[in-house]
Amino acid sequence: MKFQGYPRPDGKIGTRNHILILPTVACANETCRIIAENLPEAVSLVNQNGCGEVNVNRKITQTVLSGLAANPNVFGTLMIGLGCELNQIEDMSEIIRSKTNKPLEGLLIQEEGGTLNTINKGLRIAQNLVREASSCQREPFDLSHLTVGIECGGSDSTSGLVANPVAGRLSDLLVDLGGTAMFSETTEIIGAEHLLAERAASPEVSRKIFEIVERREKQLQSVNEDVRSGQPSPGNKEGGLSTIEEKSLGCIHKGGTSPVMEIVEYAENPESKGLVIMDTPGYDVLSVTAKVAGGCQVIIFTTGRGNPIGNPIAPVLKVTANKDTFVKMKDNTDLYFGEVLEGKRSINDVGDDLLEEVILIANGKRTKAEVYGFGFTETVMSRACDYV
Amino acid sequence: MLATGLGLGADSLRIEVVEWVFWHFRAEVFPMDKSMNAILIHNDDNVVTTTELLQAGSVARYQKDEVVVEIVSREEIPKFHKIAVADIEKTKPVYKYGQLIGEALENISKGSHVHDHNIASPKEKS
C-alpha cells in the first residue's frame, strides 16, 4: 500500500507542495497575507507572537513556527520579520535550519523600507519558490513515511462510541504498516491515563503519561483554575457527555490498541514510529497546529457536534458518526460513520475505508476545509504566561 | 498481537488484557441490532447511551450479552444521553466503558437521566 507524495531534500515526504510565507512576528502578518494571497500554493498564517514575550513563550513561538516550516507539506519558506522584535529572524533561521535543509529565505520590513518594498521583494522571492516547487512531481512511497494526526473536537457521545474507535482502527492499520499515528490533547486523557499507561511500550513512557497529565493539572492550579471549569464544553454536555472523565474515555479511542511508543513534547517531532502522544491542551485549533508543527502530513478530525476548522499546511479531514450533524453541517463534514450506529457496518469495516480515504487525501484529494482555503487564522499556540 | 510483533515479551500479556477490556464493546455491540435504542458499552456499566430521544415512560432497549434488556425511562432522555440501568446511591461510582466516569451527587433511580445535574467528576468533589 503506497501514497503519492513529494520527496523533500531532508528525506521527508509531503502530501502537499506549499510555499510558506511565515511571519516571524505579529507585525509581519498582513505583509505575509498579501504576498501569499497573490501566489498559487503559497500559504500564510496569523502569528500573534514573536515579541513582548518572556523566554519560555519565545521558545514556544520558535518551536511552533520552525516546526511548521519543517513540515513535509512545505516545499520552502519565506520568513518575514519586522527587525526590532525579540524573535530575531537569524535565530528563527538557525532553528529552522536545525530541523530541515529545505529552501529558506528571509526579509525584514524595517530593512526593506516598509510594506510596499517588502511585498515587492517578497513576491519576487516567493514567485521563484513557487516555480521551483511546481517542478516537483509526486512519487509513490510506503505508508511508513506518513504521520497522521488524530484530533477530536466538538465531541458528543457518538465520538467515543464510533468516530474515535474508527479513527483508532485507522491508527492501528497505519501502525501495522510502519507509519506513525499521533494523537494529543492531554487535558482530554484525564481519567483515562491509567489505560494508556498500561499500553506504554516502556516504563519510561508509562511514567511520562502520568507526568504530562499532572503537569497540566498543576499548571492550571497555579492560577487557581481547574480543567473542569472549561471541560467538558457546553456542546459536549448537550451531546451527552457529563464529565471530563467520560469525555476522555471516549477520546483515547482515537489511539486504537497499539502500544504507546513515545510521549512527544508540545509541537516537537516524534523520534519513534508507531503510536505516539503529543502533550498539548485540548483546544482544537491549538492542538492541530501543534501536531502539524510536529510533522503530521494529514489530520483526521473526529466530531460529534460538527466543526469547520482547517490548517494552512496540512489537510484536515472531518468525520462524524452523528447523522444529525452530518446532515446539518454537510459542507464542513467529509465522512459519515453512522452506518455503524444504524447497524449496517462494523467499526473495522469503516476504519478500513477511512484508511483508503486518508491515502486519497495524502495523494492530493482536497478536504472540505481545504476547498474553503481555511487555516490562515487557525494556527494558535500555547502561552505559559501573559505578554510583557 | 502488536505487542508480540514488537517483541515486548512479558508486557505483551498486559497489553492484550487492556485490549480486551478496551475493545470488548466493538465486537459485542457493533453492528448493533436495529430494534435496540440504547447501547451498553461494558457489562460493568450502570448507564447505557440512548440512540434516540426517549419520552418519559418509554422503553429503553439494549443488549447485554445475548439478552435483550428493557427499562422504562422515568423522564425524557435526550438522544445520545445516558440512562441509569440500576439504582445508584449518592456518592457511588458511575461506570461507562467499564470505567469510572463520575460519582452520583444524589440518589439516582434506575430509568433516570444521568448527566451533569446528578453526577460529577470524583476529583471535582474532593
Side-chain angles (χ1 to χ4, degrees), chain A residues 4 8 46 56 114 132-133 222 254 268 330 344 351 365 382:
Chain A
Q4 299 283 327
R8 303 298 179 206
V46 171
V56 59
E132 282 172 40
S222 72
K254 321 192 271 290
E268 298 280 5
K330 204 165 185 175
K344 294 175 189 158
K365 179 181 174 182
S382 283

Side-chain angles (χ1 to χ4, degrees), chain B residues 72-119:
Chain B
V72 178
S73 63
R74 300 172 69 93
E75 55 197 321
E76 184 183 293
I77 318 283
K79 188 175 179 179
F80 300 132
H81 280 230
K82 296 177 291 299
I83 177 168
V85 295
D87 291 336
I88 309 169
E89 279 175 45
K90 187 176 176 176
T91 74
K92 294 293 180 203
V94 180
Y95 292 109
K96 181 181 168 186
Y97 301 101
Q99 297 288 325
L100 182 67
I101 61 161
E103 288 175 6
L105 297 172
E106 57 192 58
N107 290 331
I108 301 172
S109 306
K110 182 175 168 179
S112 300
H113 185 206
V114 175
H115 201 24
D116 58 341
H117 64 288
N118 57 8
I119 73 166

Side-chain angles (χ1 to χ4, degrees), chain A residues 318-334:
Chain A
K318 302 283 167 39
V319 300
T320 189
N322 185 323
K323 190 171 194 171
D324 299 335
T325 297
F326 184 66
V327 170
K328 219 167 152 183
M329 295 198 41
K330 204 165 185 175
D331 65 315
N332 296 115
T333 318
D334 293 277

